Amino acid sequence: TRVDYYLSAVDCFSRSYRSPSTVEESHYSFFIGADTVKPVIKHTSQEYYLEKIDTINFDAVITDNIGVDTVYLEYKINDGPSNYIGLKPGENDGYSSFLKAKTLSLVAEDSIQYRIIAFDKAASPNQKILPANGYFSVNIERIDPVATGYTTDFSDASADFLNNGFDISKPDGFSNYGLHTLHPYVSPGETGTGDSIGYTAMLRTPVKFDANGMIIRYSEVVLVEPGEEGYLFGSIYFYDYVIVEGSKNFGKTWFHLANGYDSRYKDAWLTAYNSTISGDNSTYVGNESLLMNHTIYPKVSSDISAGDTLMIRFRLFSDPLANGWGWVIEDLHIGPLINSIQDVSYQPMVIYPDPGDGHFTIKQPDNISLKQISYKIYSSTGACLITGKTDGSGELKIDISSYPSALYFIVLYKGNEIQTLKYNLIK
């Protein structure tokens, strides 16, 4: 039996008060009788676990009309026998537990099958199982040996990445293979999948972070919803974005190696995105004429220390509203930031004074003339600040004293040979 009721009071001035105030539309209510309402379980299964992971966490939010009594997890490795662990209650109806991965002897191509079982506090307990049929199945994915760097043109890299929403392809409008998101990518409002979607492409090769720093270089087209003008990455008005992220614990947590960015990063991308709008979405189709170089210089910070082993992934974040063509990456290079590369045909150049106030000189030993050399100066966030060429004299004098104190990178180009110098500006 369902009982509905409200409360009413009249004061000495004959004013009437009711709770709830809109009794014609809603009432307080309760049931008398046997409880047949099952618990409600909310849980999102992981896409995968990496074979190097040490702890596998299980979390769920579980509610019931009279209260949850017991929650446990049934799991098995591959098609092996079932095992059971309890999930402990926490804050905000949360329940959690974990498994030590090492004790399970997991290797690549194994899988964990599991389901969550909850009972409520009814006299005759009601049981809920998630999923209702079968088990969640999460694969254990391969990790390649640690390397000092990684370079690819994506023509033969399909096994090197673990993709969700990305693939390696060569669509119409492109001459070379690249790492592509879905075209167009999806907004969660179109699918009812929540308040955001994250497409990811993780490099299976862990990269050792060199004490001198790291360089991540690639060509790209970014046609994703631009944020409001003037708002920075991290603001709710930044909307969709793409980002390069790192992890030191094999994917349990991630941090950004540089700030996220969108179509406002390059004027040509913003113009293309806005050129064909249908409803809220951009229908412009990306092509290789929009490819532009991007360089990131991750450096030692609170997140990274010299000698750390990093997993690296590329991620596109999509909010509930507008969307566009998406993201493509070509000609990827990840490696240590060094002052010279092997097999150069000229002597490495030197920079002095370093550190300094922004006035410095670059020259080659023995006063060899600097002919046919162009250069670019980048900030520590990868933004190109200055582009120029040498005048053929024996030294190159540069003035960046108008810029703030920071670490800057001078990239020198002579044909196919590249040399990178670091400069510390201190005021």
XYZ file of all heavy atoms in Angstrom, residues 56 107 163 169 260 310 317 330 394 406:
70
model
N 44.708 -3.129 -9.429
C 43.484 -2.996 -10.228
C 42.356 -2.591 -9.286
O 42.000 -3.341 -8.365
C 43.144 -4.305 -10.948
C 44.280 -4.683 -11.912
C 41.824 -4.186 -11.692
C 44.094 -6.029 -12.567
N 49.524 -11.422 -17.862
C 50.384 -11.112 -19.000
C 49.502 -10.617 -20.135
O 48.270 -10.723 -20.101
C 51.198 -12.344 -19.453
C 52.144 -12.807 -18.360
C 50.270 -13.482 -19.872
N 44.406 2.260 -29.272
C 43.513 3.330 -29.714
C 42.089 3.151 -29.217
O 41.553 2.045 -29.197
C 43.481 3.398 -31.244
C 44.815 3.804 -31.831
O 45.528 4.621 -31.265
N 45.155 3.240 -32.979
N 45.288 5.762 -40.498
C 44.673 5.661 -41.813
C 45.189 6.770 -42.721
O 45.956 7.637 -42.297
C 43.141 5.734 -41.690
O 42.744 6.959 -41.096
N 46.339 21.962 -23.110
C 45.475 21.611 -24.217
C 45.236 22.807 -25.125
O 45.396 23.960 -24.734
N 57.997 7.224 -18.905
C 56.702 7.836 -19.217
C 55.942 7.038 -20.267
O 56.505 6.637 -21.290
C 56.897 9.254 -19.765
C 57.504 10.318 -18.858
C 57.536 11.651 -19.590
C 56.708 10.444 -17.572
N 39.289 15.785 -26.151
C 38.177 15.940 -25.215
C 37.016 16.621 -25.933
O 37.188 17.668 -26.563
C 38.597 16.786 -24.018
C 37.454 17.155 -23.101
C 37.043 16.298 -22.101
C 36.788 18.366 -23.261
C 35.989 16.634 -21.261
C 35.734 18.712 -22.434
C 35.335 17.840 -21.427
N 50.722 13.511 -37.900
C 51.641 12.844 -38.820
C 53.075 13.079 -38.364
O 53.366 14.029 -37.641
C 51.456 13.355 -40.257
C 50.115 13.015 -40.882
C 50.039 13.398 -42.357
O 51.080 13.861 -42.907
O 48.973 13.247 -42.967
N 80.492 35.171 -39.228
C 81.010 34.121 -38.373
C 80.223 33.891 -37.113
O 80.481 32.922 -36.398
N 62.983 32.801 -18.443
C 62.510 31.431 -18.675
C 63.580 30.682 -19.455
O 64.625 31.238 -19.809
C 61.184 31.424 -19.441
